[in-house]
């Protein structure tokens, strides 16, 4: 009957739409957020922050990027271009920070589709 065909069509269409929703998921942002602090734990703005290291996904790939910490002492790096959907861990990177004569260093593990955070103290 016409009514049964209508329900079958709606059911199939819903199944198709639901499948497409999950098959075409968009990737989340992959961000590294590094807090720069002085010996007292206060934010340090305008510090030069360098991230560098070997990619875990391809041995030939060496990552290097630099930015300055903002007014609240955060240096933010976006890894969306380096990360492909479904790819395992992006990288474990070295952090070097310089502000005048003060410096500091650390390591950060970049997690795919997440905000990875680390704090570096400069002195």
């Amino acid at each position: 009957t016409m009514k049964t065909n209508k329900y079958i069509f709606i059911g199939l269409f819903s199944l198709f739409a639901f499948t497409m929703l999950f098959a075409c998921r968009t990737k989340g942002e992959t961000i590294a957020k590094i807090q720069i602090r002085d010996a007292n734990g206060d934010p340090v703005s305008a510090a030069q922050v360098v991230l560098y290291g070997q990619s875990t996904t391809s041995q030939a790939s060496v990552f290097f990027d630099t930015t300055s910490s903002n007014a609240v002492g955060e240096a933010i790096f976006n890894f969306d271009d380096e990360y492909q959907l479904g790819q395992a861990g992006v990288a474990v990177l070295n952090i070097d920070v310089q502000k005048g004569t003060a410096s500091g260093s650390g390591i950060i593990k970049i997690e795919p589709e997440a905000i990875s955070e680390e704090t570096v103290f400069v002195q």
Side-chain angles (χ1 to χ4, degrees):
T1 69
M2 198 69 167
K3 198 168 193 162
T4 307
N5 287 345
K6 181 178 171 189
Y7 285 123
I8 290 172
F9 175 78
I10 290 171
L12 286 173
F13 181 79
S14 299
L15 183 65
F16 175 76
F18 188 74
T19 303
M20 290 307 291
L21 187 70
F22 285 93
C24 301
R25 83 175 175 91
T26 55
K27 70 178 183 182
E29 287 190 312
T30 301
I31 304 286
K33 186 187 290 185
I34 301 160
Q35 311 280 337
I36 313 304
R37 301 285 184 255
D38 63 17
N40 298 323
D42 296 322
V44 177
S45 62
Q48 183 187 25
V49 181
V50 180
L51 274 188
Y52 64 95
Q54 197 82 22
S55 170
T56 56
T57 55
S58 123
Q59 292 308 312
S61 174
V62 175
F63 181 83
F64 180 91
D65 199 4
T66 183
T67 191
S68 293
S69 57
N70 59 23
V72 292
E74 291 178 346
I76 297 170
F77 295 85
N78 186 312
F79 286 85
D80 285 351
D81 293 342
E82 282 75 26
Y83 173 68
Q84 304 306 315
L85 191 62
Q87 181 177 313
V90 174
V92 175
L93 298 174
N94 297 299
I95 309 165
D96 280 345
V97 181
Q98 191 79 39
K99 170 73 184 222
T101 58
S103 65
S105 61
I107 293 175
I108 187 168
K109 182 178 182 197
I110 310 301
E111 297 285 350
E113 298 188 78
I115 297 174
S116 304
E117 296 192 53
E118 191 58 60
T119 301
V120 174
F121 291 89
V122 294
Q123 44 196 13

